[in-house]
Amino acid sequence: MTITDDIVLRLTDVVKTFPGVRALDGVQLEVRAGEVHCLLGQNGAGKSTLIKVLSGAHTPDSGEILWLGQPAAFNSPQTAMKAGIATIYQELDLVDGLSVAENIYLGHEPHNAGFVARRTMRRGAAEILGRLGHAEIPVGREVGKLPAAAKQIVSMGRALSREARLLIMDEPSAVLAHDEVENLFRMVRALTAQGIAVIYISHRMEEIREIGDRVTVLKDGRTTAANLDAKTTPTRELVSRMTGRTIEYVFPEKPETTQVYDKDAPLLQVEGLSLDGRFSDISLTVHAGEIVGITGLVGSGRSEVLETIFGARRATAGTVVVGNKALRRGSVNAAVKAGIGMAPEERKSQALLLGEPIYRNVTLAGFARFARVGFTDSGRERVEAEKITQGLDLRPNDVRRPVRTLSGGNQQKVVVGRWLLGGTKLLLLDEPTRGVDVGARAELYQVIRRLADEGVGVLLVSSEVPEVLGLSDRVLVMREGRLVREAPADELDEDTVLDLVMAGSLLDGADLASTAPEGTAA
Amino acid sequence: MSASSADMSRRKLLLGGAAVGAGVLLAGCTSNDTKDGDAGTNTKENTAASQAPGKAVTIGFSAPAADHGWIGAITANAKAQAAKFSDVTLKVVDAGKDAPAQIAALETLIGSKPDAIVLLPQDGAQLTAIGKKATDAGIIVINLDREFSDSAASFSLIKGDNYGMGIAAGKFIGEKLKGKTDAVIGEIPGIDELQLTKDRSKGFADALKTYGLTVKHRVAAGFTVESGQKAAANLLQAAPKLDAVWNHDDDQGVGVLAAIQQAGRKEFFMVGGAGSRDAMDHIKAGDTVLTCTVTYPPSMASSAIILARLAAQGKGMGDLVELQVPKLIVLQSETITKDNVDKYLPLGFKS
Amino acid sequence: MSTATTPSADPVELSKGAASSAAGQSWWQRDSADSAKRNLALIGVLVLLLVIGAWTRSDIFLDIDRLWSNELTVLTQASSIGVIVVGMTFVMISGGIDLSVGALLALASVWCTTVATQDLGPAAMVFTALAVGAIAGLVNGGLIAYGKLVPFIATLAMMLSARGLAQNISGSHTQITADPFIKSLAGDRLFGVPYMVIIFVVVTALGWVLLNRTTFGRRTIAIGGNAEAARLAGINVRLQTLLLYVLSGLCCGIAALMVVSQTTSGSNTHGDLYELSAIAAAIIGGTALTGGRGTIVGSLLGVLIFTQITNLFIVNNLQLDIQRIINGGIIVAAVLIQQFRVGSFFRTRFNK
């Protein structure tokens, strides 16, 4: 692997705003020919937007893109492709019904007077696959019938057929089994050896260590660290660049002791909960008035645990007990009836009716309660919803507005408000501050703490370690589908949690599992 | 919990019982057997010359899928007539929805080598080639109603007279309104795009012209009851006063008559078309504006089966001199009024 | 549900800017008035049609008695399809579609006019029509909600088989009924208004109340607006979906009775292409094919526009083929206008 010093791509101060959202807020990036440049960042850090800017799907508002030393503007995916930038998306954009060769040459089929030169195409495809070391993939096979790993190879083949100079790979290992990842790395190395630059996006630290040359870290749409050495930079530094506080959050004061909870009568008791392929053997408790935080990386199963407790996913093993009642598996209705409410991670797609007024969103889970013999009472709904939103300090507090006109933080309040209306006893919050700006976060923290003070149990998931530590009474750490640590929040610090969160890169995973405290089985 | 679940199960039981009861009732309600058992078909007992059973013949039969009373009567008549002959085996093949489907069905039929085929084409021109193919294969082809574009494609053609039907309707109305040149005449055809509609309308207009009359209001009703009702309801709004209406088709006429009754209109008289049993009943009872209908008889299917049998057995028609059946038979369009309706009642088809 | 796959813009948000700009532009005001505006535009189209009528047939449209009589005819003609559109609007607002309405009408009309049913009297005929519609709707809903079939496919299958069954039961004959009660529905009037129109108005009013004032309606809108959000809010999405198709089937049963009464017969040719007319009416009334949006009033106006156009053509003695061209043009125009609005909204708001 030779890293030449030719810089193929340089981004300076790239900004991209959407109405109400500053998705990219000054991104710097420098990619050299023949290197694997890793892009690190949390969800919402701006990676997807950056990829879209590079692949021509979005046009940046300001900033400079230098491509092969020339200022470039990729107005459309076609221009980016022509310039030599190919993107392999996580959800592979192959046409299942076409053959391998047809997919590789999709959009630029070799042709004679308008007729596709099928033989040339097949020969070319076979040669490209050979270069990737996978001549065994039959070029005539329908792509839909190939396994995921082979599809990815076809995707890479397509990039080669375009004579790409830069290949962007968005979490390519997510769909692969372990040994297939090895193979992927072999191919990536083969590409870089030919001088092709690769932007590699992954959450897995060990992959970055193995395949990466340099690392750029994004947070909140900004480059927080550029061109770190992928092999030697300590994991802790990388992670803190990703998650670390750029601003001091103000957390509400916690109650003096956690002893006030009735340890014998937990509000929520989860025993041995498992969901095949996602997480296994999760046991936890939440008491009334307690905030319990779960943290872990993407893919650690943290969100899935919440969704399974809520019944949105059907557990494959284990029990969820609320009060004294075991909940039926896979039944949201049962969970709601038992007094559980959930604010899911994807507010817009999972929680809100964006075109409907605020009050109807607040009463979505409870409008039937205000109804008499099936007739809704919009007047009372509005009054009740307004009480709730006032308590949450919703701004602007006009419950007739459509929800989509609200900011992210206020939308989140609407979702939380929905469950307060119903007298919910246990609130599941999945990334409650995702997409919420700094000022509004502090407010949300206050709201959550106040709810707990009023006796609501809160189980929250967040990838932001400071948030979990600052807000929760008790913290659970998850890694690769398992609980690896449970402790009161004041016994943990950020570094410890970060070490636990990272997938065995600093500590041996087996040791960690054995250090799981007795509290997990409570 | 247990109380509520018991309650639930009782509710379920009640619901289930009600559902089963409703299901039984509904299932029973599909029966369409009338008490008098009248199938509404027209057949002919064996004529003298053909009485003696001849050699056994297989006759294939293909007509468009019945989505209309008249077509339904065609198939029913063919089946009923064939059943009257001990020496005839009738093979009915589904003609499907369109001409290509019918061609495909006929290919199979030809392959099974019947002695004769009675064919009411979806479209005369499009089915000519297959008719020719069958004829060339030595099969007697009786072309029913919709004419092939090449007469060599069939052995015989038996058809109704659309133009004559229009003439008959026009003549009846003309006679009644003679001298009243400002008379308002309405016409409710079936589907304008069809050649048969064009022929009927032309005959109607030609006949009216000889009396100095013209059609003032015209709206196509699509050959279905519902569209007949809708078209007529609107037509009656367009024409506050009418003298006469010719409705081309007694099937859609059910809807047309309903619309007229719902509008409470009585100032005009109506002439029907085809000759359904329902129309004849109304003519006989005199309880509606329908005073007359001009026939386009589906009994031609029965006659076609008779022709096919005779031809296949090498016989001529008993009352004619010739030793072969005629090449072309065009049926008269007859005018049925209260005076002669009793004679025609047995020929009325079920709409 | 790995979050890393989310292709949408990363929501790093500056809430105050967004909130205040939203308040300044008063998005919501425009939004709430949207359907009202659309309905006003549709009423404008209706008025325009009447003006054309007055221009081409002044003897009908400028004579108050004949205008009244003509418009009652238009309403009567719109009544059966109008009842079906009420059910269709519910289904479409929930994000589904029901292609089987015409066939269900035919099946119910045939089933309730068999000799056996007629022998049991008018009550049995009414019950049969309603039950057949509702049960067929139950089958549709069951296949969609619990069998996870796409609504298009499930109801397409129902459309074919219901028509076939209607043909099978009737033997493709027109089943005439002389029942005085059934016939009186179409023939008689109350205070000068035909019963058909009264049924139409009542069903539409009930539909409006059901959609706008009941939990049933609220669930329908929620499912169409965001099915996942509705599910996570504890709404029984599957049961609601099932009930929606039963409602649509029931509307077909009512419409079947109306058509039977109007034509004094049941037939497997009844309700021909009603599914397309109903969808077209709902669409020009502002119902979104994607669900979540639509009004009963808009759909009703859609039906009236189509029926009024038919009436205009017939009273002017014009060929109906040109009418079909115009109907097609109206659908395209209405949807283009809506898409333009919604499209510009998304462009400015989410940049997609």
Side-chain angles (χ1 to χ4, degrees), chain C residues 91 95-100 140 143-144 148-160 245 275-276 279 289:
Chain C
V91 168
I97 198 144
D98 190 347
L99 296 178
S100 67
N140 273 339
L143 289 174
I144 293 161
K148 303 256 185 279
L149 255 63
V150 181
F152 189 96
I153 292 171
T155 58
L156 180 71
M158 177 58 80
M159 170 175 121
L160 296 174
Y245 286 90
E275 55 281 352
L276 297 186
I279 293 167
L289 265 180

Side-chain angles (χ1 to χ4, degrees), chain A residues 260-298:
Chain A
V260 291
Y261 312 121
D262 185 352
K263 286 286 182 205
D264 296 328
L267 183 61
L268 170 76
Q269 186 154 15
V270 176
E271 292 272 6
L273 198 67
S274 300
L275 182 65
D276 278 352
R278 301 289 181 157
F279 61 84
S280 60
D281 198 23
I282 301 291
S283 298
L284 59 89
T285 56
V286 179
H287 299 87
E290 186 185 25
I291 301 177
V292 178
I294 303 180
T295 192
L297 289 181
V298 169

Side-chain angles (χ1 to χ4, degrees), chain A residues 19 43 49 52 333 345 376 404, chain C residues 1 3 7 10 31 213 234 348:
Chain A
N43 291 325
T49 312
K52 285 187 176 168
N333 274 336
E345 183 176 11
T376 51
R404 69 172 136 74
Chain C
M1 79 171 44
T3 54
D10 314 49
D31 209 70
R213 290 285 180 271
T348 53

Side-chain angles (χ1 to χ4, degrees), chain A residues 217-501:
Chain A
V217 184
L218 292 184
K219 175 167 168 50
D220 295 342
R222 292 198 186 100
T223 301
T224 51
N227 306 332
L228 303 174
D229 189 305
K231 310 283 185 218
T232 58
T233 311
T235 303
R236 198 169 295 175
E237 186 186 338
L238 290 175
V239 174
S240 70
R241 298 275 192 180
M242 265 162 69
T243 63
R245 278 171 263 193
T246 46
I247 300 141
E248 290 288 328
Y249 296 132
V250 185
F251 291 102
E253 229 167 273
K254 295 180 193 176
E256 300 236 320
T257 63
T258 52
Q259 261 57 31
V260 291
Y261 312 121
D262 185 352
K263 286 286 182 205
D264 296 328
L267 183 61
L268 170 76
Q269 186 154 15
V270 176
E271 292 272 6
L273 198 67
S274 300
L275 182 65
D276 278 352
R278 301 289 181 157
F279 61 84
S280 60
D281 198 23
I282 301 291
S283 298
L284 59 89
T285 56
V286 179
H287 299 87
E290 186 185 25
I291 301 177
V292 178
I294 303 180
T295 192
L297 289 181
V298 169
S300 63
R302 46 179 205 195
S303 296
E304 288 84 348
V305 168
L306 281 203
E307 286 162 2
T308 310
I309 292 173
F310 194 54
R313 291 167 183 261
R314 186 186 292 271
T316 43
T319 55
V320 175
V321 178
V322 177
N324 288 320
K325 211 178 146 203
L327 298 186
R328 196 149 60 85
R329 274 184 199 162
S331 167
V332 173
N333 274 336
V336 172
K337 277 202 185 115
I340 307 184
M342 179 162 104
E345 183 176 11
E346 301 283 337
R347 271 192 304 280
K348 284 180 180 158
S349 67
Q350 292 183 295
L352 293 170
L353 307 177
L354 291 170
E356 291 286 295
I358 291 167
Y359 80 90
R360 289 200 172 188
N361 274 281
V362 172
T363 60
L364 184 66
F367 58 81
R369 259 198 315 284
F370 302 114
R372 272 174 304 233
V373 285
F375 283 85
T376 51
D377 184 344
S378 290
R380 236 185 95 206
E381 281 181 45
R382 274 200 294 274
V383 172
E384 296 294 326
E386 198 140 27
K387 279 185 204 159
I388 298 279
T389 53
Q390 220 150 37
L392 294 172
D393 197 17
L394 188 78
R395 280 186 308 246
N397 192 14
D398 175 352
V399 294
R400 279 184 242 217
R401 266 170 172 272
V403 145
R404 69 172 136 74
T405 63
L406 295 179
S407 66
N410 282 298
Q411 287 184 351
Q412 188 69 49
K413 290 182 197 167
V414 170
V415 180
V416 171
R418 172 182 302 163
W419 298 111
L420 300 186
L421 186 70
T424 298
K425 291 183 287 184
L426 175 70
L427 209 47
L428 310 176
L429 304 174
D430 195 354
E431 300 279 3
T433 57
R434 169 143 179 234
V436 176
D437 70 292
V438 179
R441 280 183 187 206
E443 241 175 72
L444 266 178
Y445 296 147
Q446 295 287 351
V447 166
I448 294 169
R449 174 51 72 187
R450 203 168 64 236
L451 292 176
D453 290 345
E454 287 162 12
V456 176
V458 177
L459 181 60
L460 77 89
V461 155
S462 174
S463 47
E464 305 214 15
V465 176
E467 181 171 290
V468 171
L469 289 176
L471 190 57
S472 317
D473 301 311
R474 203 146 46 86
V475 174
L476 309 173
V477 182
M478 281 189 75
R479 200 183 65 221
E480 290 172 358
R482 290 184 176 273
L483 269 184
V484 291
R485 184 75 195 270
E486 171 176 355
D490 44 18
E491 290 175 18
L492 293 169
D493 60 33
E494 204 177 329
D495 287 347
T496 322
V497 175
L498 284 176
D499 288 346
L500 287 165
V501 155

Side-chain angles (χ1 to χ4, degrees), chain B residues 33-59:
Chain B
D33 296 333
T34 44
K35 286 173 201 102
D36 50 13
D38 179 12
T41 52
N42 329 121
T43 54
K44 186 82 180 166
E45 294 305 327
N46 293 359
T47 51
S50 56
Q51 213 153 24
K55 70 162 178 142
V57 292
T58 305
I59 301 175

